[in-house]
Amino acid sequence: MADSIELARRLCLQPPARRTGTGRCRPRGRLGAPAPSLRVPRPPLSLSLWSSLLRCRALDSTRPVAVEGGLGDEEDEDEEGESYFALTSSRLSRVDYLGESTKGDLNVRREHLDAFGGNGKSTLHGPIEEIAWQEAREAESLLRELGIADPFSVRHSPRGIFCTRTLNLRSISVIGYDMDYTLIHYNVMAWEGRAYDYGMANLKGMGFPVDDLEFDPDLVIRGLIMDKDKGNLVKADRFGYIKRAMHGTQMLSTSAVSEIYGRELVDLRKESRWEFLNTLFSVSEAVMFMQMVDKLDQGLVPAELGPLDYKGLYNAVCRALFRAHVEGQLKSEIMAEPERFVEPDPELPLALLDQKEAGKRLLLITNSDYHYTNKMMNHAFNRFLPNDMAWRDLFEMVIVSARKPEFFQISHPLYEVVTNDGLMRPCFKANSGGLYSGGSAQMVEKSLDIHGDEILYVGDHIYTDVSQSKVHLRWRTALICRELEDEFDALIRSHVQKEQLITLIQQKEVVGDLFNQLRLALQRRTNSRPAQTLAATCMDDQELTESMQKLLIVMQRLDEKIAPMLESDGELFNKRWGWLSRTGLWDKSHLTRQIEKYADIYTSRVSNFLHYTPFMYFQSQEQTLGHDVHSYSRRQQH
């Protein structure tokens, strides 16, 4: 086993081959520098070595790999006359038992199957379950020796990628990316703080009193909903029921929320009333609106601005922020000092480089203009790329000023950006390697000859990026939500308190069940009907009443302990709104419902793909139902 691991390590650490102009292959390092030739004698392969070699060679996308159906072609052979693997082509792909396409799966070439148990020969004797456990243990050992993180530790961490709908990355041919808050992550306090400053300056120019106001990013979180009719900010559960609300900058009591919204559900289709905070770009807008609601309620808005209701106030805030963006002052400031606003991520370019080398065609589709895009991408990417690569070298196609969400719905004129100064000319067809402005998603599909679920689009905006590409084109989707890291850490820190809270709730449930049975027995006895409970039948009226009183006191004392714990649940993430993903202890938030509905996978940052490989098969978790057997297992353990 030790010899097998050592040989597998040497094979894995050998740099992947690069094609030369002669059709031969020469090794290269991670940064592209030629590496010395490494010749390893090929002894009979053991099972552990075979599995290790399989994993190592699967990672080398530049190695010649035969397409299934063309096995045995001479050009598919490597230097030593062998090619072990074949890719499942689109023509031969099928749907596997998990409901995903097998396109892009790696298969052992037929002529090599016999040597490794394809016909029951060689080392694959015995129950496959035992073989699988042995291989898993050896794989874990090899991963540790190679210094590679345990896959399970990565997947269950703040940097994990979480799956709502099964996604086979091997069947994805094209990966498209948004830029702002996706490939480029901004310091929220810096970026949104400056947006707030410019917006408030514009409001002041209109005549609004803003001098005593300051930016407070903790006032709001992503996934909240602005009620433009009532001047409220609300948090709804997955069904649209409002659980928390804030009027201006003051949180409303539970009874006030019930009185205002007891008969109403949030319906995001009613855009004239509800505004969903889809992205971190919404933070400055929501803070401005809530603060100005206070000013309006206090009668501090000048009368000469006209009779303003909350909706009119919201429109004024939108105009002020729109001017801040359109006039270009904010973006000019960011372009002048990108290091002040952009949080660097050295792993990000390497994650995209892995995807590109694995045969994925990468796209950049952003609403930002060419000059801003070029400046931000140069700053965030070029210094971390090898071999003097530039960010443009990563992408098959770049589309700026895309005008999403319309980009996914209708076709706009297409222009090619032909100079570094951003000079454009009209064109009618996009080509590989091109830089364009405008156009449409349908144009992208046509030019790449790729459609629907072979494309994965990654963005931070649930509506503009994720839902529209899913609804109109059936693209696969990934949502970037940086706050997940803070929420994950907060969930871990609150784990002990949450377990205590659940235990108290379960105790109250058991006591409450007994109380209800005794109450029913007393009710039946009062109406001269049998108690139908043996214990209650043996009790006289006084005993029954005293038992009920004792149980009621226990429940009331439990409530006194449970109530503040429930109130504080989620405060480690946000003191006003609690968890991003939940409303209350059990139920999912409206944001989580939107993610589940439109995003196949979601994660905190694009560089998390670096820890998963471009060949990952993401599987969604079991969706629990009220009648699932294991729903009762926890109750039975206590």
Side-chain angles (χ1 to χ4, degrees), residues 322-528:
F322 182 74
R323 279 185 55 194
H325 289 285
V326 169
E327 291 173 357
Q329 295 170 302
L330 177 58
K331 287 195 172 181
S332 295
E333 186 175 340
I334 295 170
M335 291 170 67
E337 296 182 272
E339 65 281 353
R340 184 176 145 211
F341 295 93
V342 176
E343 295 185 358
D345 189 346
E347 293 182 333
L348 172 58
L350 301 182
L352 267 61
L353 193 58
D354 276 345
Q355 293 173 353
K356 180 179 177 64
E357 291 176 345
K360 313 298 183 188
R361 290 186 279 178
L362 305 184
L363 312 177
L364 176 62
I365 304 173
T366 174
N367 282 354
S368 293
D369 60 62
Y370 165 71
H371 295 289
Y372 185 79
T373 299
N374 189 47
K375 183 70 175 182
M376 292 297 102
M377 294 295 288
N378 277 333
H379 174 78
F381 275 71
N382 289 3
R383 55 185 160 153
F384 301 122
L385 285 169
N387 296 342
D388 297 321
M389 285 182 69
W391 70 270
R392 285 283 307 279
D393 298 324
L394 290 170
F395 295 96
E396 181 98 356
M397 188 181 298
V398 175
I399 300 174
V400 299
S401 303
R403 298 176 65 177
K404 296 177 292 182
E406 292 180 2
F407 180 84
F408 298 112
Q409 303 165 0
I410 59 178
S411 182
H412 288 291
L414 180 68
Y415 298 90
E416 183 179 10
V417 181
V418 293
T419 70
N420 290 333
D421 294 332
L423 184 66
M424 297 186 295
R425 65 185 177 198
C427 63
F428 301 98
K429 181 181 179 182
N431 297 307
S432 295
L435 171 60
Y436 302 97
S437 175
S440 69
Q442 291 84 352
M443 172 272 296
V444 171
E445 290 186 333
K446 185 176 180 180
S447 62
L448 298 178
D449 194 25
I450 295 292
H451 303 282
D453 61 5
E454 289 185 84
I455 303 175
L456 173 67
Y457 191 67
V458 186
D460 72 295
H461 198 293
I462 292 177
Y463 178 72
T464 298
D465 295 319
V466 175
S467 76
Q468 295 305 291
S469 59
K470 171 72 70 181
V471 169
H472 294 283
L473 299 162
R474 293 297 185 265
W475 287 8
R476 306 308 299 271
T477 52
L479 181 77
I480 302 300
C481 182
R482 181 61 70 101
E483 306 96 298
L484 281 172
E485 294 179 18
D486 290 339
E487 172 148 310
F488 198 101
D489 288 335
L491 283 167
I492 292 173
R493 296 199 306 274
S494 66
H495 177 73
V496 173
Q497 178 179 318
K498 191 161 188 175
E499 286 296 311
Q500 294 172 348
L501 175 58
I502 291 172
T503 298
L504 291 172
I505 291 173
Q506 290 172 341
Q507 289 173 343
K508 182 187 175 184
E509 185 180 357
V510 173
V511 172
D513 285 345
L514 177 57
F515 174 82
N516 291 336
Q517 288 296 330
L518 296 180
R519 181 179 180 182
L520 180 61
L522 182 60
Q523 173 185 304
R524 288 171 173 170
R525 182 177 296 183
T526 302
N527 289 282
S528 302

Side-chain angles (χ1 to χ4, degrees), residues 177-237:
Y177 287 100
D178 176 46
M179 186 180 74
D180 296 306
Y181 280 125
T182 301
L183 292 181
I184 306 292
H185 184 72
Y186 300 101
N187 180 299
V188 176
M189 190 66 188
W191 208 108
E192 293 302 317
R194 290 305 288 155
Y196 172 91
D197 292 341
Y198 281 113
M200 282 302 195
N202 289 332
L203 281 179
K204 183 176 181 179
M206 298 178 196
F208 287 92
V210 300
D211 288 336
D212 59 333
L213 299 177
E214 294 181 354
F215 180 55
D216 180 8
D218 293 327
L219 194 65
V220 302
I221 59 174
R222 187 201 302 246
L224 300 179
I225 304 152
M226 283 188 280
D227 182 349
K228 293 180 277 189
D229 284 357
K230 290 183 166 60
N232 293 340
L233 192 62
V234 305
K235 185 178 184 182
D237 67 12

